Amino acid sequence: MPNADLSPNATSPTEELRHVHALMRLEQQEDQAQFKLKNAKASIQERQRRGLTWYPVTLTHDDIGFGGKCVLELERPASQQGLHLFQVGRNASLFGAQPAQSEDPPTLHGVVTSVWRNRLQLTTTKEELPDWVLEGGRLGIDLTFDEVSYREMDQAMGEVINARGNRLAELRDVLLGAQQARFRAPHADDLFYPSPLNDSQLAAVRHVITAQDVGIILGPPGTGKTTTLVQAILETIRRERRVLVCAPSNTAVDLLTEKLAERGVKVIRMGNPSRVSDLLLAHTLDARVMAHPSYSRMRAMRQTAAQYRDKADELARHHGRHLGFDARQQRQALRDEARQLLLQADDLERYITEHVLESVQIITCTLVGASHRSLRHLSVDTVFIDEAAQALEPGCWIPIAKGQRVVLAGDHHQLPPTVKCEKAAHEGLRDTLFEKCIQRQPDTARMLKLQYRMHDQIMAFSSRRFYGGQLQAHASVRDAGLEAYDPCFAADLPVEFLDTAGLGFLELTIPESRSTANPEEANLLLQRLTQLLKPCDPAMHPETPLTIGVIAPYRAQINCLKDAIELNDALNGLMQQRVLSAGTVDSFQGQERDIIAISLTRSNHSGDIGFLSDIRRMNVGMTRARRKLLLVGDSSTLSAHPFFKELLSFVQHIGGYRTAWEIIDT
């Protein structure tokens, strides 16, 4: 990969994009290096645990697919139903048993083209299957490094950098602030679909409709961003022929697809749904193609072609080296006939796919999924991108290149995109297109202001610190603390900070993982949680159990907490019932719990808070709570950072500050 100039002194959108492009290539190098390092010496069992391998797999069916390539259907044992990372579009490699005289097992490379529960389809790069696949030995399948995403982002970046005098060039300049965004005048009768949206949600929908270039929906926690976005999409398809709806994660795409399908509109889901449901499967491209009247004819063509190829191979096996002239002619004729049938089948498949896509109003897919071969030459009126504040900028340009207008939805005060290369992150790759546009073109954004999740006091600090104090709690949650759930909690505080300063609960560094733990703080948090839950009998609310989330910023501290929970009969019982869960902030993104307890972990004499300085993660963690937010930490360490100093001042102001001595002495 060529070395690139990484200087950030961009003076135009194209220069800025060249800089981003160079950072993306650095990220690819780092990602590839980490992938190789993690998997070079990992056992099959370890790769299975990480979701990178299925083993063993059974070859249940093989067929001839698009372009005459072999397509394999593989199945793993039903006992191995763990989570995995296989999805449509990912590169994968089938492997066989390791030969006695060889270091490496034989492999067959391909692309995953379908995933359904414990089965997947691998479209290979070969027209003939190697003998080791057919011999019945043990097989497995590995995910290989994801070149596809980087290749598509690379291509999209090149396209947007080189755009001149077209709509993509205009959108580039508007999104990056070099050209003013335009809006048409709103009309009183703009909205058609009846909806229960609140005033700020309706204002956001109207804003999207009037945007001629770009519109942004800023959705703070609990404000109904998905509901608002779905309504904006429904209003848009009243005015436009077809829209493309994307998100960086499969889970977000699935959710939008389900919500839109429930509203009765024609929607098709490209790629692989991560949540298997009959509703989602019915809206996949594969399902719609299989339901097409011409599908059986295409299938018959491929089956006949396979039979001709089998006959040609049988002739070769039967005669061996003594294949005569007539037999050779016959074999060639069979192969030619098979090739001709496959070409016709490919043409018919293209026709079916185009016909299916022409019949729908909404196409949903991931950002990289927008590069699907069936969408290559498709243009749409509007591109919607959800979770845009969690998406790398290069990924966003893939769908944007297909549209005339862009709508971004997200919240740049929550989790940023994951960047593995520290240099790339430091020099700007973590800066999203959402964030750039909202900062350079503030008029493009409308913020949702009424939240339906949190008690007013839980919401208040985040509202002031991140959202200009504009958030309001809906009447249904404004005073809904634990006492509203059950009167046994009557004297409780919605926000509580338990201060360990002076107790000597110093953090420990775990050298093997470069992570940080604080076992004494973990035990204190669980002691307070047990004390908090003691008055309430879970059996009193079997239909609506109280849900609890335990969060820590460090994996080592999560391990401490989980180990301690196992030794606590009451809390372990709740974990077994799945009403209590523990994890990092990232694992709770998009979720909520009645009680959130956060161990801040850091406690040292130098005031070093490390990873905690990413205050967006704290915003996410704190706003997962509906009724009770419990924070445990060392104020003397934390207050060295302005954010935590302000947080401590807020907690003291509302009467939520307590010293750990109060708990230890009880």
Side-chain angles (χ1 to χ4, degrees):
M1 213 167 276
N3 290 326
D5 176 17
L6 300 182
S7 64
N9 299 319
T11 56
S12 71
T14 52
E15 288 179 22
E16 181 178 352
L17 287 167
R18 286 190 185 97
H19 174 63
V20 173
H21 198 183
L23 296 178
M24 189 203 75
R25 288 173 169 167
L26 273 186
E27 173 71 0
Q28 180 177 2
Q29 290 173 339
E30 178 64 22
D31 195 5
Q32 193 160 20
Q34 288 189 21
F35 186 90
K36 286 180 179 177
L37 187 65
K38 280 184 181 177
N39 294 287
K41 296 180 181 178
S43 65
I44 287 176
Q45 291 73 23
E46 176 63 17
R47 298 200 306 272
Q48 280 181 303
R49 189 185 67 77
R50 293 180 190 161
L52 300 171
T53 298
W54 284 10
Y55 182 84
V57 293
T58 305
L59 176 58
T60 56
H61 186 67
D62 65 276
D63 204 349
I64 300 167
F66 203 83
K69 305 300 183 186
C70 290
V71 179
L72 310 181
E73 187 178 279
L74 305 163
E75 185 171 5
R76 66 173 175 171
S79 59
Q80 297 181 15
Q81 290 188 352
L83 295 174
H84 61 83
L85 301 175
F86 287 83
Q87 56 182 294
V88 171
R90 290 294 301 269
N91 290 350
S93 179
L94 187 72
F95 63 87
Q98 185 168 318
Q101 304 301 319
S102 172
E103 288 188 6
D104 298 313
T107 55
L108 177 63
H109 298 290
V111 175
V112 177
T113 46
S114 178
V115 182
W116 193 72
R117 292 198 172 105
N118 285 322
R119 295 203 304 271
L120 66 78
Q121 190 178 74
L122 182 73
T123 298
T124 73
T125 56
K126 302 291 184 183
E127 294 184 4
E128 305 284 344
L129 285 179
D131 291 340
W132 61 266
V133 175
L134 303 170
E135 285 168 356
R138 275 211 155 189
L139 302 172
I141 185 167
D142 277 329
L143 277 178
T144 53
F145 182 70
D146 185 15
E147 295 278 3
V148 176
S149 295
Y150 285 107
R151 185 176 66 241
E152 296 301 337
M153 287 192 289
D154 187 71
Q155 186 172 327
M157 289 299 290
E159 187 177 352
V160 71
I161 287 168
N162 294 317
R164 299 287 185 277
N166 59 11
R167 185 57 177 153
L168 179 57
E170 292 174 352
L171 289 176
R172 173 195 66 205
D173 292 349
V174 171
L175 284 160
L176 294 176
Q179 187 173 313
Q180 193 65 36
R182 300 166 301 158
F183 298 88
R184 67 171 178 79
H187 297 292
D189 59 348
D190 260 342
L191 301 186
F192 172 79
Y193 283 92
S195 75
L197 299 189
N198 63 50
D199 289 347
S200 70
Q201 291 171 331
L202 286 169
V205 173
R206 287 193 174 93
H207 181 67
V208 164
I209 293 167
T210 59
Q212 293 181 271
D213 307 297
V214 58
I216 294 178
I217 299 174
L218 171 56
T223 54
K225 172 179 64 69
T226 300
T227 301
T228 307
L229 185 60
V230 166
Q231 195 71 24
I233 293 166
L234 293 174
E235 293 291 346
T236 300
I237 59 172
R238 282 190 62 235
R239 300 158 173 80
E240 298 176 0
R241 166 74 182 84
R242 183 169 49 222
V243 300
L244 183 61
V245 178
C246 302
S249 71
N250 272 298
T251 305
V253 178
D254 290 348
L255 177 62
L256 284 167
T257 306
E258 282 190 355
K259 296 289 186 186
L260 289 163
E262 287 168 359
R263 299 294 293 268
V265 294
K266 292 180 179 178
V267 57
I268 195 158
R269 167 68 157 99
M270 306 295 292
N272 169 47
S274 59
R275 293 181 297 132
V276 179
S277 71
D278 292 339
L279 180 61
L280 273 180
L281 288 173
H283 292 282
T284 60
L285 179 62
D286 286 348
R288 299 292 283 274
V289 166
M290 290 172 70
H292 195 275
S294 298
Y295 176 78
S296 57
R297 185 156 61 95
M298 179 195 76
R299 181 83 172 149
M301 286 179 181
R302 292 215 166 111
Q303 288 174 336
T304 305
Q307 291 168 4
Y308 285 158
R309 289 175 67 163
D310 288 345
K311 287 179 182 177
D313 292 343
E314 183 61 32
L315 276 173
R317 282 193 294 270
H318 181 70
H319 293 281
R321 294 182 180 178
H322 306 292
L323 195 65
F325 176 79
D326 289 345
R328 279 199 301 272
Q329 290 290 96
Q330 186 181 357
R331 184 186 65 178
Q332 189 58 47
L334 286 167
R335 286 184 170 173
D336 288 345
E337 188 64 31
R339 190 176 296 110
Q340 193 60 38
L341 277 170
L342 287 173
L343 288 172
Q344 292 175 20
D346 288 352
D347 287 342
L348 185 53
E349 182 177 357
R350 272 189 287 267
Y351 163 76
I352 293 171
T353 302
E354 288 172 7
H355 190 259
V356 166
L357 291 175
E358 280 296 320
S359 69
V360 297
Q361 298 164 281
I362 305 167
I363 299 168
T364 65
C365 60
T366 60
L367 299 175
V368 175
S371 64
H372 192 284
R373 70 167 186 264
S374 301
L375 303 180
R376 289 279 183 196
H377 305 294
L378 194 76
S379 62
V380 297
D381 298 302
T382 300
V383 173
F384 290 87
I385 302 179
D386 193 16
E387 289 188 344
Q390 280 188 269
L392 288 175
E393 180 179 346
C396 291
W397 290 113
I398 300 172
I400 289 173
K402 300 181 183 299
Q404 301 297 306
R405 207 171 66 103
V406 186
V407 176
L408 306 175
D411 180 6
H412 56 302
H413 300 301
Q414 295 191 56
L415 292 183
T418 300
V419 178
K420 296 179 180 178
C421 175
E422 290 183 13
K423 182 177 176 63
H426 179 72
E427 297 198 17
L429 190 59
R430 200 176 276 141
D431 298 337
T432 62
L433 194 59
F434 181 97
E435 195 167 3
K436 289 178 181 180
C437 189
I438 208 169
Q439 288 174 350
R440 300 172 191 181
Q441 301 254 32
D443 289 346
T444 61
R446 290 293 181 274
M447 187 175 88
L448 308 181
K449 298 178 182 178
L450 189 62
Q451 65 85 16
Y452 298 83
R453 175 185 298 166
M454 297 163 272
H455 187 286
D456 187 62
Q457 287 188 358
I458 297 173
M459 172 204 76
F461 180 73
S462 284
S463 176
R464 188 174 75 188
R465 185 61 179 76
F466 295 100
Y467 306 107
Q470 296 184 72
L471 285 188
Q472 297 175 343
H474 187 264
S476 61
V477 298
R478 187 180 302 129
D479 302 310
L482 286 175
E483 69 279 6
Y485 175 80
D486 193 303
C488 71
F489 293 114
D492 192 60
L493 304 164
V495 180
E496 179 181 339
F497 185 94
L498 202 53
D499 190 359
T500 66
L503 282 170
F505 289 0
L506 295 179
E507 67 194 52
L508 303 171
T509 300
I510 313 298
E512 297 81 13
S513 61
R514 295 188 300 174
S515 191
T516 303
N518 194 325
E520 292 168 307
E521 182 177 294
N523 289 331
L524 178 69
L525 180 144
L526 298 180
Q527 182 185 342
R528 174 61 183 134
L529 194 55
T530 305
Q531 184 187 79
L532 182 68
L533 296 171
K534 193 174 181 179
C536 187
D537 181 3
M540 296 290 290
H541 304 274
E543 299 299 318
T544 56
L546 192 71
T547 57
I548 305 151
V550 177
I551 294 175
Y554 296 94
R555 176 58 57 189
Q557 183 71 344
I558 291 296
N559 293 338
C560 269
L561 287 159
K562 286 183 175 179
D563 290 345
I565 288 169
E566 281 188 24
L567 300 174
N568 183 310
D569 290 341
L571 296 182
N572 193 40
L574 295 175
M575 185 169 265
Q576 297 303 318
Q577 296 167 36
R578 298 189 176 184
V579 295
L580 184 152
S581 54
T584 60
V585 172
D586 298 57
S587 68
F588 280 89
Q589 170 77 344
Q591 301 182 44
E592 56 189 58
R593 299 288 189 274
D594 291 308
I595 300 173
I596 286 289
I598 304 178
S599 169
L600 297 166
T601 309
R602 301 307 297 259
S603 178
N604 52 66
H605 299 303
S606 58
D608 178 17
I609 66 167
F611 191 54
L612 278 180
S613 61
D614 184 353
I615 61 175
R616 288 182 290 190
R617 277 190 158 74
M618 276 304 298
N619 184 38
V620 172
M622 293 189 299
T623 56
R624 302 308 94 195
R626 287 195 288 252
R627 302 177 183 275
K628 169 78 176 185
L629 173 63
L630 171 64
L631 301 160
V632 183
D634 180 351
S635 64
S636 64
T637 299
L638 296 168
S639 59
H641 191 282
F643 173 84
F644 288 97
K645 187 174 182 179
E646 189 179 342
L647 174 61
L648 284 161
S649 175
F650 166 78
V651 174
Q652 287 176 326
H653 176 71
I654 63 170
Y657 175 86
R658 302 179 71 181
T659 69
W661 294 108
E662 296 177 51
I663 304 302
I664 293 172
D665 292 341
T666 57

